[in-house]
């Protein structure tokens, strides 16, 4: 059996929550390996809706081990709130069912405040972030001044670490006209939240090595998507971490050879939240129809998503850079009733045709799509659970997507319900 990494293959919001939940029933361990509480997952299980932001999707299933890896930036206050909210829904999270990597970086209130300041309407630094403090926390991690989960164990050494952190942040805040952070007040906040975090803190890499040696199946759950990768995405309109499959190893402390299959989640059309280039975006009634039928509003922010036709150029690129073996194609039912459906097969840039998205942001913005048009279908695909339930034109669309992106469909999702899924190839079999 193979361990599986699940990553988004567009700009996020591809339906990873449902697919991860579907796969978690077959896994023993579910690991978050990057990002923070800026990426939401909506799970619908037996008619009950669970909204997760920081916790791995496996926490809502009994008998599974959930792990928050070292690659995640960890907001202890958001964590405590999410645990408490799930408890009201009957989900009890214990140190036996969840491990938080002790070497994970903390998101502090000062990170959230800095994020908000940069994203304010009069700021020249706005990138369309969720204002959760993710980027500033990663900056401190790379700058080697961050506080980590393990620092909450020893309050005798914490004042010195806070002083080093504030030596960077307070001058920055003065320059922005903001009030400086009081070290004692921050220390008091950390002392207050620590008891809610420390019972879960541990050596995640050792626990994962243990379960690996026991032959248990591990599911690595990514947040955001490859086009938001700090290196391989539409920079600078990206997240602050690597979202490709290689980060599953680095962000959890397990060797890359232990990731046997990479599943990319791909929506049957394209959406994006926030700023940045979007070659196939539709600012017309078709785009509105896609958004309405797909209920395209962010789980975390509630922001309306930008919508457009499927961009095979981008997904072919993310298949390569993301290390994707096969895809889970989601929201096929949203395309029901369209007379014609378009697929982007290339771009025009300054008078020439290209088959990739250039790295330069100004060139990305000038790319215009080259479309191939195929006939749509009037029958419903919603709830289909086998190929025989699909209209012939829908099958033709799926096969054409496979050809254009150079990757097979392993799973096909036809509604938010977890069982409305057509299994073509079990990723855990490899």
């Amino acid at each position: 059996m193979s361990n599986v990494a699940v990553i988004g293959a567009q700009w996020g919001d591809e339906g990873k929550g449902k697919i991860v939940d579907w796969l978690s029933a077959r896994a023993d361990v579910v690991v978050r390996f990057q990002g923070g509480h800026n990426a939401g997952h909506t799970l619908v299980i037996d008619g009950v809706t669970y909204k997760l932001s920081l916790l791995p999707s496996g926490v809502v299933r009994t008998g599974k081990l959930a792990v928050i890896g070292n690659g995640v930036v960890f907001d202890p206050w958001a964590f405590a709130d999410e645990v408490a909210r799930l408890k009201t829904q009957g989900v009890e999270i214990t140190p036996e069912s969840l491990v938080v990597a002790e070497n994970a970086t903390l998101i502090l209130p000062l990170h959230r405040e800095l994020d908000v300041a940069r994203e304010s309407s009069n700021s020249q630094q706005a990138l369309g972030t969720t204002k959760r403090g993710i980027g500033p926390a990663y900056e401190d991690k790379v700058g080697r001044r961050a506080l980590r989960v393990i620092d909450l164990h020893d309050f005798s050494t914490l004042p010195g670490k806070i002083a080093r952190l504030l030596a960077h942040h307070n001058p920055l805040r003065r320059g922005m006209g903001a009030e400086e952070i009081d070290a004692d007040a921050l220390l008091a906040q950390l002392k207050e939240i620590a008891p809610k975090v420390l019972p879960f803190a541990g050596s995640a890499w050792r626990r994962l090595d243990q379960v690996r040696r026991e032959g248990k199946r591990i599911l690595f759950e990514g947040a955001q998507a490859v086009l938001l990768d700090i290196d391989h995405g539409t920079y600078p309109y990206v997240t602050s971490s690597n979202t490709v499959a290689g980060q599953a190893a680095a962000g959890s402390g397990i060797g890359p050879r232990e990731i046997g299959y990479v599943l990319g989640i791909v929506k049957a059309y394209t959406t994006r939240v926030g700023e940045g280039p979007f070659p196939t975006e539709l600012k017309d009634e078709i785009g509105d129809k896609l958004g309405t039928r797909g209920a395209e509003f962010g789980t975390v922010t509630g922001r309306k998503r930008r919508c457009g036709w499927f961009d095979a150029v981008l997904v072919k690129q993310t298949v390569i850079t993301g290390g994707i073996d096969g895809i889970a194609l989601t929201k096929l039912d949203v395309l029901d009733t369209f007379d014609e459906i378009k697929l982007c097969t290339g771009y025009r840039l300054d008078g020439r045709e290209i088959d990739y998205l250039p790295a330069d942001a100004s060139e990305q913005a000038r790319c215009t799509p080259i479309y191939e048009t195929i006939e749509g279908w009037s029958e419903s695909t919603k709830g289909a659970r086998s190929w025989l339930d699909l209209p012939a034109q829908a099958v033709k669309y799926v096969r054409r997507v496979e050809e254009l992106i150079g990757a097979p469909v392993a799973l096909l999702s036809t509604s938010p319900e977890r069982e409305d899924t057509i299994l073509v190839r079990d990723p855990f079999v490899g």
Side-chain angles (χ1 to χ4, degrees), residues 116-128 176 236-237 275:
V116 169
R118 288 173 172 172
E119 290 293 317
S120 63
S121 59
N122 62 347
S123 172
Q124 299 301 309
Q125 304 180 61
L127 295 171
M176 300 176 71
Y237 301 99
E275 305 298 323

Side-chain angles (χ1 to χ4, degrees), residues 16-30:
K16 289 188 293 296
K18 171 193 168 172
I19 300 301
V20 168
D21 175 60
W22 193 89
L23 290 169
S24 69
R26 294 154 176 79
D28 302 299
V29 184
V30 183

Side-chain angles (χ1 to χ4, degrees), residues 31-177:
V31 185
R32 274 285 309 273
F33 59 84
Q34 50 77 221
H37 63 304
N38 55 333
H41 289 337
T42 299
L43 311 180
V44 182
I45 304 173
D46 297 329
V48 179
T49 299
Y50 302 94
K51 293 184 181 293
L52 306 177
S53 297
L54 178 60
L55 294 171
S57 298
V59 298
V60 298
R61 297 200 162 275
T62 58
K64 310 293 181 182
L65 173 64
V67 177
I68 296 177
N70 57 276
V72 174
V73 281
F74 181 82
D75 186 323
W77 293 274
F79 169 77
D81 289 345
E82 196 165 323
V83 168
R85 176 164 47 80
L86 286 175
K87 187 174 182 179
T88 66
Q89 294 185 275
V91 178
E92 192 75 33
I93 298 171
T94 69
E96 287 69 42
S97 62
L98 173 69
V99 176
V100 177
E102 60 191 5
N103 53 337
T105 294
L106 294 177
I107 298 177
L108 305 173
L110 59 87
H111 294 129
R112 295 194 297 269
E113 293 167 9
L114 179 57
D115 211 353
V116 169
R118 288 173 172 172
E119 290 293 317
S120 63
S121 59
N122 62 347
S123 172
Q124 299 301 309
Q125 304 180 61
L127 295 171
T129 78
T130 57
K131 303 178 184 178
R132 299 298 198 271
I134 311 298
Y138 273 117
E139 290 175 33
D140 283 343
K141 176 180 180 177
V142 175
R144 294 168 292 185
R145 56 182 170 264
L147 302 183
R148 303 192 299 172
V149 172
I150 193 149
D151 294 327
L152 299 178
H153 278 287
D154 188 354
F155 287 105
S156 67
T157 63
L158 204 48
K161 295 174 182 178
I162 290 174
R164 185 175 68 232
L165 177 67
L166 297 187
H168 170 80
H169 277 274
N170 276 338
L172 186 62
R173 293 171 70 91
R174 286 197 300 270
M176 300 176 71

